[in-house]
């Protein structure tokens, strides 16, 4: 059957493996806060169909309650430890207090959760994962490794760190952020060059660049526009230089890739 990865924009992907659909950091709105979607149609209703959803950290472009409310009642939702304390709207979505809610499980790095035939393992990320602008530092930013017929690493948001390869372990496909939603990235993010360097640490067979070319601040269309449009192509170029054995699937919004299963 193999694995199918669909990129819906920003950090939102569907990973389908062994007949199970895992959705990452769902964001299904045209505009929120100071950001608007500048490229790609909104994901269709079918994008919200998932057996499980994983949320990497509490920033509002990754943990978005209004988007989570579109999930079917009873959907399994994995969030960083302490998320419900920081995001009251998340508590209102919990099936324990809402019959039409979600089955929420809080996790931290090292935790492993079974989703049917899949195993989902939380791994560390180097990123300020609190609910901004004033949230307490109680929730770690996470990545996840989804293991079934293949092993898929969803990095969420992270900077490079020396222990990345040991923390993540062997993977077949890496979904890596290569940009952002604004004209500048801090050190706790991957740009195209740092993401390519991450490939040299992780040594996956395939990679899919995400977290770029979707949302941009309102009124800043002319500010450093290359940071919006070029990270995907730049990642392809940097990956060819740093990790030429890795196959890069450069997807448009709504497109899918079928990474090769490990031999």
């Amino acid at each position: 059957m193999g694995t199918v990865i669909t990129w819906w924009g920003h950090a939102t992907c569907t990973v389908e493996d062994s007949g199970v659909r895992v959705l990452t950091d769902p964001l299904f709105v045209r505009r929120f806060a100071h950001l608007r979607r500048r490229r790609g149609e909104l994901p269709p209703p079918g994008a919200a169909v998932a057996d499980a959803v994983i949320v990497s950290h509490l920033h509002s472009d990754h943990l978005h309650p209004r988007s989570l409310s579109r999930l079917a009642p009873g959907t399994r939702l994995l969030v960083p430890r302490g998320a419900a304390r920081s995001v009251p709207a998340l508590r209102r979505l919990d099936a324990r207090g809402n019959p039409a809610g979600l089955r929420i499980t809080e996790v931290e790095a090292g935790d492993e959760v079974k989703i049917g035939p899949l195993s989902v393992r939380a791994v560390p990320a180097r990123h300020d994962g609190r609910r901004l602008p004033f949230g307490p530092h109680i929730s770690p930013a996470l990545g996840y490794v989804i293991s079934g017929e293949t092993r898929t690493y969803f990095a969420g948001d992270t900077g490079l760190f020396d222990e990345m390869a040991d923390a993540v372990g062997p993977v077949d496909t890496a979904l890596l952020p290569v940009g952002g939603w604004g004209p500048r990235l801090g050190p706790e993010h991957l740009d195209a060059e740092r993401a390519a360097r991450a490939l040299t640490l992780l040594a996956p067979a395939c990679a899919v660049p995400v977290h770029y070319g979707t949302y941009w601040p309102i009124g800043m269309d002319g500010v450093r526009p290359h940071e919006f449009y070029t990270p995907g192509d730049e990642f392809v170029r940097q990956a060819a230089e740093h990790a030429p054995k890795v196959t890069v699937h450069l997807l448009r919004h709504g497109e899918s890739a079928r990474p090769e299963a490990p031999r």
Side-chain angles (χ1 to χ4, degrees):
M1 185 181 300
T3 300
V4 180
I5 294 168
T6 304
W7 182 48
W8 302 111
H10 203 55
T12 306
C13 302
T14 295
V15 179
E16 187 167 0
D17 187 332
S18 305
V20 178
R21 290 170 60 94
V22 178
L23 180 65
T24 70
D25 288 356
L27 189 55
F28 296 146
V29 293
R30 189 168 300 281
R31 175 177 172 175
F32 73 102
H34 63 300
L35 304 178
R36 66 180 174 93
R37 191 175 181 113
R38 287 191 56 201
R39 192 162 65 173
E41 295 298 321
L42 284 177
V49 176
D51 299 288
V53 177
I54 53 180
V55 168
S56 61
H57 61 289
L58 307 192
H59 293 174
S60 59
D61 58 323
H62 293 260
L63 196 167
H64 188 256
R66 185 149 57 97
S67 295
L68 294 174
S69 70
R70 300 188 184 184
L71 302 171
T75 300
R76 191 76 178 271
L77 175 63
L78 307 186
V79 298
R81 182 199 67 242
R85 288 177 56 193
S86 295
V87 186
L90 189 61
R91 297 197 292 270
R92 294 193 288 271
L93 293 173
D94 195 327
R96 285 170 289 190
N98 176 4
L102 309 174
R103 295 185 296 141
I104 299 175
T105 301
E106 296 191 350
V107 295
E108 59 185 0
D111 289 346
E112 195 162 334
V113 178
K114 294 291 289 184
I115 309 291
L118 300 186
S119 172
V120 179
R121 176 169 54 92
V123 298
R126 177 158 295 175
H127 192 68
D128 181 352
R130 60 183 166 155
R131 191 68 164 183
L132 298 176
F134 304 116
H137 286 280
I138 60 174
S139 294
L142 300 172
Y144 294 89
V145 177
I146 303 163
S147 298
E149 293 186 36
T150 66
R151 295 162 298 191
T152 302
Y153 169 48
F154 170 63
D157 259 355
T158 186
L160 281 173
F161 55 100
D162 292 339
E163 306 82 11
M164 178 179 276
D166 290 337
V168 173
V171 292
D172 303 301
T173 302
L175 311 182
L176 297 179
V178 300
W181 52 254
R184 298 188 184 280
L185 286 173
E188 291 189 338
H189 297 81
L190 296 180
D191 59 11
E193 191 272 336
R194 290 193 290 265
R197 285 165 51 199
L199 295 180
T200 67
L201 299 176
L202 299 168
C206 306
V208 177
V210 302
H211 203 276
Y212 77 98
T214 309
Y215 291 92
W216 202 249
I218 294 167
M220 296 185 68
D221 291 7
V223 179
R224 297 175 63 86
H226 64 283
E227 298 290 357
F228 179 84
Y229 289 107
T230 65
D233 291 327
E234 180 63 13
F235 175 68
V236 172
R237 189 185 72 81
Q238 293 281 353
E241 177 180 337
H242 289 277
K245 294 183 179 180
V246 178
T247 300
V248 177
H249 297 276
L250 183 65
L251 302 179
R252 297 187 183 92
H253 296 82
E255 285 189 338
S256 300
R258 293 178 176 268
E260 293 184 6
R263 298 178 179 178

